[in-house]
Amino acid sequence: IGLDLSKGYFVLQRASNAKHWNRPGCVKGKGRPIFDNMTIALVIGNGPTEQWAPILRACGATVVTFSDLQKSPNNFDIDCCLFNAITLPPHSISLPVHVSQAIKRVAEGVPFLDLAWAHQSIIQRKRLNYDDPRYSVSNQISGKSDTVFAIRHKNDNARYEVGDLVQFSRGPKSTSHGRIAVILRSGRSCKLEIQLLDSDGGFDLVDCQSSAKIVVDEKSLQGNLVFLCSQDFHRLGYVPSDPTRSNIFNRVELPG
């Protein structure tokens, strides 16, 4: 399960994929996984590397870690290099040491991408393009852009991205739901432009492209939502009885 940014809601694994143990890119036990024959450099720190390396390998990739680059930088023909965008400028004053050392060891022209590229490729079950500005971090690394697509929440260290579905406060007693449309930087802090999802007081949230947008401070964020299409939502057997205590909602789509 994961939030498919191309659709705007969470997609569940289909029974046919579960039955055949299909990795992303494969259908009915046939085909090649999405990162087949790729060599991906993973430059995201030791802890996250231990989590992400086996995921990428399961999707067909050969994974090169920062430690590998330090030992033998000339032994790899790298297809792309993955970073965690929220650790790069303008979120930080300067590049982390492991990032600056790694980029010196990677051949010129290799795409520098955020982890979100791999994440969305897996969810959408296809290899996404390298040149989408949504996933490129080249300008962040070079310090040429303040545009960001993800932030780390100051209170709980959670990562929020453009496209995420969130719950947020609108005053001491009011809570709303919406989709992050734009992240607006202001010095060292951020504000978020959020497109509202109208609630009927129950589990239905109305998703309409023409819905109003408001700007809130990042401190207003209270967590992510799981937003399912009606077919998947009504198949679930574990939704709380009280919608005010739930972060799982049914998507009601209206034309924009």
Side-chain angles (χ1 to χ4, degrees):
I1 183 172
L3 174 59
D4 185 335
L5 294 178
S6 69
K7 295 181 178 179
Y9 58 86
F10 279 70
V11 292
L12 302 183
Q13 179 174 233
R14 297 305 172 211
S16 59
N17 289 326
K19 178 181 179 180
H20 295 282
W21 291 87
N22 289 329
R23 291 181 286 178
C26 301
V27 178
K28 295 184 178 180
K30 299 179 180 180
R32 295 182 178 275
I34 52 173
F35 302 141
D36 185 56
N37 287 328
M38 288 188 67
T39 299
I40 299 177
L42 200 51
V43 188
I44 55 175
N46 292 333
T49 294
E50 293 173 358
Q51 298 170 0
W52 269 97
I55 295 173
L56 297 175
R57 292 188 185 109
C59 291
T62 297
V63 176
V64 175
T65 66
F66 174 60
S67 176
D68 295 329
L69 288 174
Q70 285 182 306
K71 296 174 183 176
S72 306
N74 299 318
N75 291 349
F76 306 104
D77 185 11
I78 295 172
D79 293 288
C80 69
C81 194
L82 297 184
F83 301 87
N84 187 349
I86 61 175
T87 67
L88 307 175
H91 300 294
S92 61
I93 297 175
S94 59
L95 290 176
V97 173
H98 69 280
V99 172
S100 59
Q101 291 182 356
I103 60 179
K104 294 177 182 177
R105 292 169 165 80
V106 176
E108 185 176 351
V110 170
F112 291 165
L113 306 172
D114 182 28
L115 276 172
W117 173 83
H119 191 204
Q120 282 299 306
S121 293
I122 293 169
I123 292 172
Q124 296 182 34
R125 304 184 67 84
K126 63 181 181 181
R127 188 188 304 176
L128 299 181
N129 293 332
Y130 295 145
D131 56 0
D132 188 333
R134 171 69 176 78
Y135 304 115
S136 175
V137 295
S138 295
N139 286 338
Q140 279 187 251
I141 289 175
S142 64
K144 294 180 180 180
S145 175
D146 280 339
T147 300
V148 295
F149 292 91
I151 60 171
R152 176 189 285 129
H153 195 266
K154 293 180 179 179
N155 293 341
D156 57 11
N157 267 344
R159 173 174 167 141
Y160 291 94
E161 302 180 17
V162 170
D164 274 0
L165 302 154
V166 294
Q167 179 172 292
F168 61 98
S169 61
R170 298 175 69 181
K173 297 183 179 180
S174 177
T175 298
S176 294
H177 309 91
R179 177 182 287 110
I180 299 176
V182 179
I183 297 175
L184 307 165
R185 288 197 56 82
S186 177
R188 301 298 297 169
S189 62
C190 291
K191 292 187 180 297
L192 309 171
E193 184 180 87
I194 295 181
Q195 186 166 42
L196 296 176
L197 300 169
D198 294 327
S199 172
D200 66 350
F203 288 101
D204 290 347
L205 293 178
V206 177
D207 191 5
C208 179
Q209 293 182 359
S210 60
S211 295
K213 296 178 181 178
I214 63 172
V215 176
V216 303
D217 190 274
E218 63 177 297
K219 296 179 182 178
S220 301
L221 296 175
Q222 296 180 336
N224 290 97
L225 305 179
V226 176
F227 205 26
L228 299 173
C229 67
S230 292
Q231 182 180 8
D232 286 338
F233 179 82
H234 292 295
R235 289 176 176 174
L236 292 178
Y238 51 85
V239 177
S241 58
D242 182 359
T244 64
R245 296 180 178 274
S246 177
N247 68 341
I248 304 173
F249 293 92
N250 177 45
R251 178 178 184 253
V252 178
E253 185 178 14
L254 294 180

